[in-house]
Amino acid sequence: MSDDEDVPQSAPLRGMVPNSAGGYAWEVDDMRRLRRFMCLGSEGGTYYIGEKKLGIENAAAIIRLISSGKGVDVVREIVQFSVEGRAAKQDPIVFALALCARDKDSATKAAAYEALNKVCRIPTHLFAFVEFCQSLSEGTGWGRAHRKAIQKWYSSKSPKALAQAVTKYKQRNGWSHTDVLRLCHLKPETDGIACVCKYVMKGIEACRAEFSGKDGVVANTMEYLEAIEEAKTASEPTLIYLIQHFKLVREHIPTFHLNSTAIWATILENMPMTAMIRNLGKMSSIGLLKPLSSHSEVVCQRLIDTKLLQDAKIHPFNVLLALKTYEQGKGDRGKLTWEVNQSIVSALDNAYYLSFKMCLRTGAHIFPFKPTLVIVSHPCPAIWYFSDTSVFSSRDTSDKTYS
């Protein structure tokens, strides 16, 4: 077939293969399929292929890479995507890591467990990893290598950091720290870690009986755990003091205090960027973020702070989702409603474009030809869809390339 001959859409060009839509496309190698899976996942499937089949195909691609001797390269790619914040959701990355950890190739398994702390940085990710591993295992899933990796996750943290983690994220995905500690058979090497583990397994009274009167790190850890316990029944003035002095977060606050503007104002002082974006609706609903208020100004300044966005690894898609949810004045789930503050809407819009600047350059020329703009219906007018399916921000993209 000559280059000048018109080829109908239903016919393939040289090198094309059948795709899920019933047409033809250029073949995607397994490493590229892995990257796509980590970015997009398989939740809900696509218009042309179901979620289950898509997940099986991606898992098969990872297994083929490992079988061809590229297992360590796969783990390296997983770590890079996770650490650099390339994906909007962490679950596909954690699943890929669990698949590597469950493979029979010893080098791949060792690399996967060595990367556990880098990929699963918070208990939510750890619990997801544990659940995926158990689902992928033929037996109990708690072999020696698995137990050691989980033990290292807990013992490698400082007592204060571990205490913050286990009290902020108590349980996820049907797993709790009590379950995981019981199954991994952790034997703490320091009194500080032992104190936190005792708190998780037996409660504050057991900690008081064993660790009261000790000094140094143990004393600081006990002081923090006592503050967590006191916060459960504290009055508003006392709770404000505890939040300020011990840097307590929203998850430490009893539900009956979560409609107080004074409590939220205190939490906001040290609230991480991701948590702040997630709670914009709640803070607006109780009147904390009224237009022209000082708290509204603080939020807007943080949203357009490039360094804060970069340090928090805020993904553009998550900012876009927050923007679209906030400006509609109600959540997609539940009955929460709020008065929309247009200053915050503008700040979120700016944060969306700023977050693209954190995307790493690929060094590749994505458009070797002049792209054709395809007009499609989309809730965000700031997205352009090109004929090669690459997505770009409509601002300041003329000299940038994104993966």
PDB file of all heavy atoms in Angstrom, residues 312-345:
ATOM      1  N   ALA A 312       4.313  19.162  48.653  1.00  0.00           N
ATOM      2  CA  ALA A 312       3.201  18.246  48.939  1.00  0.00           C
ATOM      3  C   ALA A 312       2.914  17.301  47.781  1.00  0.00           C
ATOM      4  O   ALA A 312       2.055  16.423  47.901  1.00  0.00           O
ATOM      5  CB  ALA A 312       1.940  19.046  49.266  1.00  0.00           C
ATOM      6  N   LYS A 313       3.626  17.487  46.650  1.00  0.00           N
ATOM      7  CA  LYS A 313       3.430  16.644  45.459  1.00  0.00           C
ATOM      8  C   LYS A 313       1.959  16.612  45.036  1.00  0.00           C
ATOM      9  O   LYS A 313       1.373  15.551  44.795  1.00  0.00           O
ATOM     10  CB  LYS A 313       3.942  15.226  45.705  1.00  0.00           C
ATOM     11  CG  LYS A 313       5.446  15.140  45.937  1.00  0.00           C
ATOM     12  CD  LYS A 313       5.887  13.694  46.136  1.00  0.00           C
ATOM     13  CE  LYS A 313       7.405  13.581  46.209  1.00  0.00           C
ATOM     14  NZ  LYS A 313       7.978  14.281  47.371  1.00  0.00           N
ATOM     15  N   ILE A 314       1.374  17.798  44.957  1.00  0.00           N
ATOM     16  CA  ILE A 314      -0.030  17.893  44.574  1.00  0.00           C
ATOM     17  C   ILE A 314      -0.174  17.627  43.080  1.00  0.00           C
ATOM     18  O   ILE A 314       0.420  18.320  42.253  1.00  0.00           O
ATOM     19  CB  ILE A 314      -0.601  19.285  44.914  1.00  0.00           C
ATOM     20  CG1 ILE A 314      -0.438  19.588  46.411  1.00  0.00           C
ATOM     21  CG2 ILE A 314      -2.064  19.372  44.506  1.00  0.00           C
ATOM     22  CD1 ILE A 314      -1.208  18.673  47.317  1.00  0.00           C
ATOM     23  N   HIS A 315      -0.964  16.635  42.727  1.00  0.00           N
ATOM     24  CA  HIS A 315      -1.158  16.274  41.330  1.00  0.00           C
ATOM     25  C   HIS A 315      -2.200  17.199  40.684  1.00  0.00           C
ATOM     26  O   HIS A 315      -3.204  17.543  41.315  1.00  0.00           O
ATOM     27  CB  HIS A 315      -1.635  14.818  41.235  1.00  0.00           C
ATOM     28  CG  HIS A 315      -1.542  14.231  39.873  1.00  0.00           C
ATOM     29  ND1 HIS A 315      -2.498  14.454  38.907  1.00  0.00           N
ATOM     30  CD2 HIS A 315      -0.600  13.428  39.302  1.00  0.00           C
ATOM     31  CE1 HIS A 315      -2.162  13.817  37.796  1.00  0.00           C
ATOM     32  NE2 HIS A 315      -1.019  13.180  38.007  1.00  0.00           N
ATOM     33  N   PRO A 316      -1.971  17.639  39.438  1.00  0.00           N
ATOM     34  CA  PRO A 316      -2.933  18.532  38.774  1.00  0.00           C
ATOM     35  C   PRO A 316      -4.359  18.009  38.767  1.00  0.00           C
ATOM     36  O   PRO A 316      -5.313  18.774  38.946  1.00  0.00           O
ATOM     37  CB  PRO A 316      -2.376  18.645  37.346  1.00  0.00           C
ATOM     38  CG  PRO A 316      -0.914  18.394  37.484  1.00  0.00           C
ATOM     39  CD  PRO A 316      -0.772  17.391  38.592  1.00  0.00           C
ATOM     40  N   PHE A 317      -4.521  16.700  38.575  1.00  0.00           N
ATOM     41  CA  PHE A 317      -5.875  16.141  38.535  1.00  0.00           C
ATOM     42  C   PHE A 317      -6.584  16.328  39.875  1.00  0.00           C
ATOM     43  O   PHE A 317      -7.783  16.622  39.918  1.00  0.00           O
ATOM     44  CB  PHE A 317      -5.828  14.658  38.181  1.00  0.00           C
ATOM     45  CG  PHE A 317      -7.183  14.009  38.164  1.00  0.00           C
ATOM     46  CD1 PHE A 317      -8.035  14.165  37.090  1.00  0.00           C
ATOM     47  CD2 PHE A 317      -7.614  13.258  39.247  1.00  0.00           C
ATOM     48  CE1 PHE A 317      -9.299  13.579  37.080  1.00  0.00           C
ATOM     49  CE2 PHE A 317      -8.876  12.674  39.248  1.00  0.00           C
ATOM     50  CZ  PHE A 317      -9.707  12.832  38.150  1.00  0.00           C
ATOM     51  N   ASN A 318      -5.864  16.172  40.988  1.00  0.00           N
ATOM     52  CA  ASN A 318      -6.481  16.331  42.302  1.00  0.00           C
ATOM     53  C   ASN A 318      -6.882  17.775  42.563  1.00  0.00           C
ATOM     54  O   ASN A 318      -7.895  18.039  43.220  1.00  0.00           O
ATOM     55  CB  ASN A 318      -5.523  15.843  43.393  1.00  0.00           C
ATOM     56  CG  ASN A 318      -5.348  14.331  43.367  1.00  0.00           C
ATOM     57  OD1 ASN A 318      -6.238  13.607  42.927  1.00  0.00           O
ATOM     58  ND2 ASN A 318      -4.202  13.847  43.814  1.00  0.00           N
ATOM     59  N   VAL A 319      -6.089  18.726  42.050  1.00  0.00           N
ATOM     60  CA  VAL A 319      -6.458  20.141  42.179  1.00  0.00           C
ATOM     61  C   VAL A 319      -7.702  20.421  41.341  1.00  0.00           C
ATOM     62  O   VAL A 319      -8.618  21.128  41.772  1.00  0.00           O
ATOM     63  CB  VAL A 319      -5.301  21.063  41.747  1.00  0.00           C
ATOM     64  CG1 VAL A 319      -5.699  22.527  41.929  1.00  0.00           C
ATOM     65  CG2 VAL A 319      -4.040  20.769  42.543  1.00  0.00           C
ATOM     66  N   LEU A 320      -7.743  19.871  40.130  1.00  0.00           N
ATOM     67  CA  LEU A 320      -8.903  20.054  39.257  1.00  0.00           C
ATOM     68  C   LEU A 320     -10.166  19.482  39.902  1.00  0.00           C
ATOM     69  O   LEU A 320     -11.237  20.101  39.873  1.00  0.00           O
ATOM     70  CB  LEU A 320      -8.649  19.376  37.919  1.00  0.00           C
ATOM     71  CG  LEU A 320      -9.786  19.417  36.893  1.00  0.00           C
ATOM     72  CD1 LEU A 320     -10.135  20.841  36.506  1.00  0.00           C
ATOM     73  CD2 LEU A 320      -9.440  18.605  35.658  1.00  0.00           C
ATOM     74  N   LEU A 321     -10.046  18.310  40.500  1.00  0.00           N
ATOM     75  CA  LEU A 321     -11.187  17.682  41.178  1.00  0.00           C
ATOM     76  C   LEU A 321     -11.659  18.545  42.340  1.00  0.00           C
ATOM     77  O   LEU A 321     -12.867  18.743  42.537  1.00  0.00           O
ATOM     78  CB  LEU A 321     -10.780  16.291  41.674  1.00  0.00           C
ATOM     79  CG  LEU A 321     -11.888  15.420  42.264  1.00  0.00           C
ATOM     80  CD1 LEU A 321     -12.969  15.131  41.226  1.00  0.00           C
ATOM     81  CD2 LEU A 321     -11.318  14.124  42.804  1.00  0.00           C
ATOM     82  N   ALA A 322     -10.712  19.091  43.117  1.00  0.00           N
ATOM     83  CA  ALA A 322     -11.073  19.967  44.237  1.00  0.00           C
ATOM     84  C   ALA A 322     -11.759  21.237  43.742  1.00  0.00           C
ATOM     85  O   ALA A 322     -12.732  21.713  44.345  1.00  0.00           O
ATOM     86  CB  ALA A 322      -9.815  20.329  45.036  1.00  0.00           C
ATOM     87  N   LEU A 323     -11.258  21.786  42.644  1.00  0.00           N
ATOM     88  CA  LEU A 323     -11.843  23.002  42.067  1.00  0.00           C
ATOM     89  C   LEU A 323     -13.283  22.763  41.640  1.00  0.00           C
ATOM     90  O   LEU A 323     -14.192  23.544  41.977  1.00  0.00           O
ATOM     91  CB  LEU A 323     -10.995  23.455  40.871  1.00  0.00           C
ATOM     92  CG  LEU A 323     -11.591  24.543  39.959  1.00  0.00           C
ATOM     93  CD1 LEU A 323     -11.816  25.823  40.741  1.00  0.00           C
ATOM     94  CD2 LEU A 323     -10.687  24.782  38.756  1.00  0.00           C
ATOM     95  N   LYS A 324     -13.511  21.690  40.883  1.00  0.00           N
ATOM     96  CA  LYS A 324     -14.853  21.406  40.369  1.00  0.00           C
ATOM     97  C   LYS A 324     -15.827  21.064  41.491  1.00  0.00           C
ATOM     98  O   LYS A 324     -17.009  21.386  41.417  1.00  0.00           O
ATOM     99  CB  LYS A 324     -14.790  20.269  39.346  1.00  0.00           C
ATOM    100  CG  LYS A 324     -14.098  20.668  38.053  1.00  0.00           C
ATOM    101  CD  LYS A 324     -14.818  21.848  37.437  1.00  0.00           C
ATOM    102  CE  LYS A 324     -14.053  22.450  36.283  1.00  0.00           C
ATOM    103  NZ  LYS A 324     -14.734  23.661  35.765  1.00  0.00           N
ATOM    104  N   THR A 325     -15.337  20.398  42.539  1.00  0.00           N
ATOM    105  CA  THR A 325     -16.202  20.076  43.679  1.00  0.00           C
ATOM    106  C   THR A 325     -16.532  21.321  44.480  1.00  0.00           C
ATOM    107  O   THR A 325     -17.691  21.558  44.842  1.00  0.00           O
ATOM    108  CB  THR A 325     -15.522  19.037  44.593  1.00  0.00           C
ATOM    109  OG1 THR A 325     -15.232  17.855  43.851  1.00  0.00           O
ATOM    110  CG2 THR A 325     -16.415  18.683  45.774  1.00  0.00           C
ATOM    111  N   TYR A 326     -15.516  22.154  44.745  1.00  0.00           N
ATOM    112  CA  TYR A 326     -15.735  23.328  45.590  1.00  0.00           C
ATOM    113  C   TYR A 326     -16.668  24.335  44.927  1.00  0.00           C
ATOM    114  O   TYR A 326     -17.565  24.881  45.579  1.00  0.00           O
ATOM    115  CB  TYR A 326     -14.404  24.006  45.921  1.00  0.00           C
ATOM    116  CG  TYR A 326     -14.592  25.188  46.861  1.00  0.00           C
ATOM    117  CD1 TYR A 326     -14.760  24.987  48.227  1.00  0.00           C
ATOM    118  CD2 TYR A 326     -14.647  26.487  46.371  1.00  0.00           C
ATOM    119  CE1 TYR A 326     -14.980  26.056  49.084  1.00  0.00           C
ATOM    120  CE2 TYR A 326     -14.857  27.558  47.215  1.00  0.00           C
ATOM    121  CZ  TYR A 326     -15.020  27.343  48.574  1.00  0.00           C
ATOM    122  OH  TYR A 326     -15.245  28.408  49.415  1.00  0.00           O
ATOM    123  N   GLU A 327     -16.499  24.581  43.625  1.00  0.00           N
ATOM    124  CA  GLU A 327     -17.287  25.631  42.988  1.00  0.00           C
ATOM    125  C   GLU A 327     -18.751  25.251  42.800  1.00  0.00           C
ATOM    126  O   GLU A 327     -19.585  26.119  42.537  1.00  0.00           O
ATOM    127  CB  GLU A 327     -16.669  26.024  41.650  1.00  0.00           C
ATOM    128  CG  GLU A 327     -16.738  24.991  40.559  1.00  0.00           C
ATOM    129  CD  GLU A 327     -16.103  25.478  39.265  1.00  0.00           C
ATOM    130  OE1 GLU A 327     -15.623  26.632  39.247  1.00  0.00           O
ATOM    131  OE2 GLU A 327     -16.081  24.705  38.274  1.00  0.00           O
ATOM    132  N   GLN A 328     -19.102  23.976  42.958  1.00  0.00           N
ATOM    133  CA  GLN A 328     -20.507  23.590  42.862  1.00  0.00           C
ATOM    134  C   GLN A 328     -21.233  23.740  44.195  1.00  0.00           C
ATOM    135  O   GLN A 328     -22.465  23.631  44.254  1.00  0.00           O
ATOM    136  CB  GLN A 328     -20.648  22.168  42.335  1.00  0.00           C
ATOM    137  CG  GLN A 328     -20.208  21.079  43.273  1.00  0.00           C
ATOM    138  CD  GLN A 328     -20.267  19.682  42.651  1.00  0.00           C
ATOM    139  OE1 GLN A 328     -20.497  19.546  41.446  1.00  0.00           O
ATOM    140  NE2 GLN A 328     -20.073  18.658  43.460  1.00  0.00           N
ATOM    141  N   GLY A 329     -20.467  23.994  45.280  1.00  0.00           N
ATOM    142  CA  GLY A 329     -21.090  24.321  46.560  1.00  0.00           C
ATOM    143  C   GLY A 329     -21.646  23.144  47.327  1.00  0.00           C
ATOM    144  O   GLY A 329     -22.324  23.317  48.346  1.00  0.00           O
ATOM    145  N   LYS A 330     -21.332  21.941  46.874  1.00  0.00           N
ATOM    146  CA  LYS A 330     -21.778  20.749  47.607  1.00  0.00           C
ATOM    147  C   LYS A 330     -20.919  19.568  47.196  1.00  0.00           C
ATOM    148  O   LYS A 330     -20.315  19.562  46.115  1.00  0.00           O
ATOM    149  CB  LYS A 330     -23.254  20.423  47.313  1.00  0.00           C
ATOM    150  CG  LYS A 330     -23.553  20.083  45.868  1.00  0.00           C
ATOM    151  CD  LYS A 330     -25.030  19.835  45.670  1.00  0.00           C
ATOM    152  CE  LYS A 330     -25.351  19.440  44.242  1.00  0.00           C
ATOM    153  NZ  LYS A 330     -24.786  18.130  43.876  1.00  0.00           N
ATOM    154  N   GLY A 331     -20.842  18.589  48.092  1.00  0.00           N
ATOM    155  CA  GLY A 331     -20.062  17.407  47.796  1.00  0.00           C
ATOM    156  C   GLY A 331     -20.840  16.421  46.943  1.00  0.00           C
ATOM    157  O   GLY A 331     -22.074  16.474  46.878  1.00  0.00           O
ATOM    158  N   ASP A 332     -20.111  15.524  46.284  1.00  0.00           N
ATOM    159  CA  ASP A 332     -20.770  14.493  45.487  1.00  0.00           C
ATOM    160  C   ASP A 332     -21.404  13.430  46.367  1.00  0.00           C
ATOM    161  O   ASP A 332     -22.312  12.717  45.945  1.00  0.00           O
ATOM    162  CB  ASP A 332     -19.760  13.834  44.532  1.00  0.00           C
ATOM    163  CG  ASP A 332     -19.286  14.804  43.460  1.00  0.00           C
ATOM    164  OD1 ASP A 332     -20.082  15.674  43.075  1.00  0.00           O
ATOM    165  OD2 ASP A 332     -18.119  14.696  43.032  1.00  0.00           O
ATOM    166  N   ARG A 333     -20.896  13.318  47.595  1.00  0.00           N
ATOM    167  CA  ARG A 333     -21.442  12.358  48.549  1.00  0.00           C
ATOM    168  C   ARG A 333     -21.861  13.109  49.813  1.00  0.00           C
ATOM    169  O   ARG A 333     -21.269  14.107  50.181  1.00  0.00           O
ATOM    170  CB  ARG A 333     -20.410  11.285  48.902  1.00  0.00           C
ATOM    171  CG  ARG A 333     -19.953  10.455  47.703  1.00  0.00           C
ATOM    172  CD  ARG A 333     -18.882   9.467  48.110  1.00  0.00           C
ATOM    173  NE  ARG A 333     -18.401   8.664  46.998  1.00  0.00           N
ATOM    174  CZ  ARG A 333     -17.446   7.759  47.073  1.00  0.00           C
ATOM    175  NH1 ARG A 333     -16.865   7.526  48.253  1.00  0.00           N
ATOM    176  NH2 ARG A 333     -17.063   7.077  46.007  1.00  0.00           N
ATOM    177  N   GLY A 334     -22.844  12.599  50.502  1.00  0.00           N
ATOM    178  CA  GLY A 334     -23.273  13.232  51.734  1.00  0.00           C
ATOM    179  C   GLY A 334     -24.138  14.455  51.479  1.00  0.00           C
ATOM    180  O   GLY A 334     -24.502  14.778  50.341  1.00  0.00           O
ATOM    181  N   LYS A 335     -24.446  15.185  52.546  1.00  0.00           N
ATOM    182  CA  LYS A 335     -25.357  16.330  52.475  1.00  0.00           C
ATOM    183  C   LYS A 335     -24.655  17.660  52.735  1.00  0.00           C
ATOM    184  O   LYS A 335     -25.321  18.689  52.890  1.00  0.00           O
ATOM    185  CB  LYS A 335     -26.488  16.142  53.495  1.00  0.00           C
ATOM    186  CG  LYS A 335     -27.319  14.877  53.271  1.00  0.00           C
ATOM    187  CD  LYS A 335     -28.400  14.728  54.334  1.00  0.00           C
ATOM    188  CE  LYS A 335     -29.223  13.462  54.109  1.00  0.00           C
ATOM    189  NZ  LYS A 335     -30.268  13.298  55.164  1.00  0.00           N
ATOM    190  N   LEU A 336     -23.333  17.666  52.781  1.00  0.00           N
ATOM    191  CA  LEU A 336     -22.596  18.886  53.089  1.00  0.00           C
ATOM    192  C   LEU A 336     -22.739  19.908  51.971  1.00  0.00           C
ATOM    193  O   LEU A 336     -22.526  19.595  50.798  1.00  0.00           O
ATOM    194  CB  LEU A 336     -21.118  18.564  53.315  1.00  0.00           C
ATOM    195  CG  LEU A 336     -20.241  19.725  53.814  1.00  0.00           C
ATOM    196  CD1 LEU A 336     -20.646  20.118  55.223  1.00  0.00           C
ATOM    197  CD2 LEU A 336     -18.768  19.338  53.778  1.00  0.00           C
ATOM    198  N   THR A 337     -23.109  21.135  52.331  1.00  0.00           N
ATOM    199  CA  THR A 337     -23.184  22.240  51.380  1.00  0.00           C
ATOM    200  C   THR A 337     -22.450  23.442  51.960  1.00  0.00           C
ATOM    201  O   THR A 337     -22.245  23.531  53.176  1.00  0.00           O
ATOM    202  CB  THR A 337     -24.642  22.630  51.087  1.00  0.00           C
ATOM    203  OG1 THR A 337     -25.278  23.031  52.316  1.00  0.00           O
ATOM    204  CG2 THR A 337     -25.408  21.474  50.471  1.00  0.00           C
ATOM    205  N   TRP A 338     -22.072  24.375  51.101  1.00  0.00           N
ATOM    206  CA  TRP A 338     -21.352  25.563  51.561  1.00  0.00           C
ATOM    207  C   TRP A 338     -21.551  26.717  50.589  1.00  0.00           C
ATOM    208  O   TRP A 338     -21.929  26.519  49.422  1.00  0.00           O
ATOM    209  CB  TRP A 338     -19.864  25.267  51.716  1.00  0.00           C
ATOM    210  CG  TRP A 338     -19.209  24.747  50.472  1.00  0.00           C
ATOM    211  CD1 TRP A 338     -18.699  25.467  49.423  1.00  0.00           C
ATOM    212  CD2 TRP A 338     -19.019  23.367  50.130  1.00  0.00           C
ATOM    213  NE1 TRP A 338     -18.205  24.632  48.464  1.00  0.00           N
ATOM    214  CE2 TRP A 338     -18.372  23.341  48.867  1.00  0.00           C
ATOM    215  CE3 TRP A 338     -19.309  22.155  50.762  1.00  0.00           C
ATOM    216  CZ2 TRP A 338     -18.033  22.147  48.231  1.00  0.00           C
ATOM    217  CZ3 TRP A 338     -18.981  20.981  50.124  1.00  0.00           C
ATOM    218  CH2 TRP A 338     -18.344  20.969  48.890  1.00  0.00           C
ATOM    219  N   GLU A 339     -21.313  27.921  51.090  1.00  0.00           N
ATOM    220  CA  GLU A 339     -21.352  29.118  50.242  1.00  0.00           C
ATOM    221  C   GLU A 339     -19.996  29.253  49.559  1.00  0.00           C
ATOM    222  O   GLU A 339     -18.957  29.280  50.220  1.00  0.00           O
ATOM    223  CB  GLU A 339     -21.647  30.356  51.086  1.00  0.00           C
ATOM    224  CG  GLU A 339     -21.748  31.634  50.275  1.00  0.00           C
ATOM    225  CD  GLU A 339     -22.041  32.846  51.136  1.00  0.00           C
ATOM    226  OE1 GLU A 339     -22.389  32.647  52.329  1.00  0.00           O
ATOM    227  OE2 GLU A 339     -21.909  33.984  50.643  1.00  0.00           O
ATOM    228  N   VAL A 340     -20.006  29.316  48.248  1.00  0.00           N
ATOM    229  CA  VAL A 340     -18.766  29.337  47.483  1.00  0.00           C
ATOM    230  C   VAL A 340     -18.072  30.688  47.614  1.00  0.00           C
ATOM    231  O   VAL A 340     -18.689  31.739  47.440  1.00  0.00           O
ATOM    232  CB  VAL A 340     -19.050  29.044  45.994  1.00  0.00           C
ATOM    233  CG1 VAL A 340     -17.764  29.127  45.173  1.00  0.00           C
ATOM    234  CG2 VAL A 340     -19.690  27.670  45.842  1.00  0.00           C
ATOM    235  N   ASN A 341     -16.796  30.643  47.947  1.00  0.00           N
ATOM    236  CA  ASN A 341     -15.953  31.833  48.026  1.00  0.00           C
ATOM    237  C   ASN A 341     -15.190  31.942  46.709  1.00  0.00           C
ATOM    238  O   ASN A 341     -14.336  31.113  46.405  1.00  0.00           O
ATOM    239  CB  ASN A 341     -14.989  31.695  49.217  1.00  0.00           C
ATOM    240  CG  ASN A 341     -14.126  32.925  49.416  1.00  0.00           C
ATOM    241  OD1 ASN A 341     -13.884  33.700  48.489  1.00  0.00           O
ATOM    242  ND2 ASN A 341     -13.641  33.107  50.640  1.00  0.00           N
ATOM    243  N   GLN A 342     -15.490  32.956  45.916  1.00  0.00           N
ATOM    244  CA  GLN A 342     -14.881  33.087  44.592  1.00  0.00           C
ATOM    245  C   GLN A 342     -13.374  33.305  44.653  1.00  0.00           C
ATOM    246  O   GLN A 342     -12.652  32.954  43.714  1.00  0.00           O
ATOM    247  CB  GLN A 342     -15.558  34.232  43.818  1.00  0.00           C
ATOM    248  CG  GLN A 342     -16.987  33.933  43.399  1.00  0.00           C
ATOM    249  CD  GLN A 342     -17.085  32.677  42.540  1.00  0.00           C
ATOM    250  OE1 GLN A 342     -16.222  32.401  41.699  1.00  0.00           O
ATOM    251  NE2 GLN A 342     -18.138  31.891  42.758  1.00  0.00           N
ATOM    252  N   SER A 343     -12.886  33.871  45.739  1.00  0.00           N
ATOM    253  CA  SER A 343     -11.426  34.038  45.890  1.00  0.00           C
ATOM    254  C   SER A 343     -10.738  32.680  45.960  1.00  0.00           C
ATOM    255  O   SER A 343      -9.660  32.479  45.394  1.00  0.00           O
ATOM    256  CB  SER A 343     -11.109  34.848  47.153  1.00  0.00           C
ATOM    257  OG  SER A 343     -11.619  36.155  47.047  1.00  0.00           O
ATOM    258  N   ILE A 344     -11.376  31.731  46.644  1.00  0.00           N
ATOM    259  CA  ILE A 344     -10.815  30.383  46.742  1.00  0.00           C
ATOM    260  C   ILE A 344     -10.919  29.667  45.404  1.00  0.00           C
ATOM    261  O   ILE A 344     -10.005  28.933  45.003  1.00  0.00           O
ATOM    262  CB  ILE A 344     -11.520  29.596  47.859  1.00  0.00           C
ATOM    263  CG1 ILE A 344     -11.209  30.227  49.231  1.00  0.00           C
ATOM    264  CG2 ILE A 344     -11.103  28.125  47.847  1.00  0.00           C
ATOM    265  CD1 ILE A 344     -11.899  29.575  50.391  1.00  0.00           C
ATOM    266  N   VAL A 345     -12.018  29.873  44.680  1.00  0.00           N
ATOM    267  CA  VAL A 345     -12.158  29.297  43.343  1.00  0.00           C
ATOM    268  C   VAL A 345     -11.018  29.781  42.442  1.00  0.00           C
ATOM    269  O   VAL A 345     -10.385  28.997  41.725  1.00  0.00           O
ATOM    270  CB  VAL A 345     -13.520  29.659  42.724  1.00  0.00           C
ATOM    271  CG1 VAL A 345     -13.580  29.222  41.258  1.00  0.00           C
ATOM    272  CG2 VAL A 345     -14.657  29.009  43.503  1.00  0.00           C
TER     273      VAL A 345
END
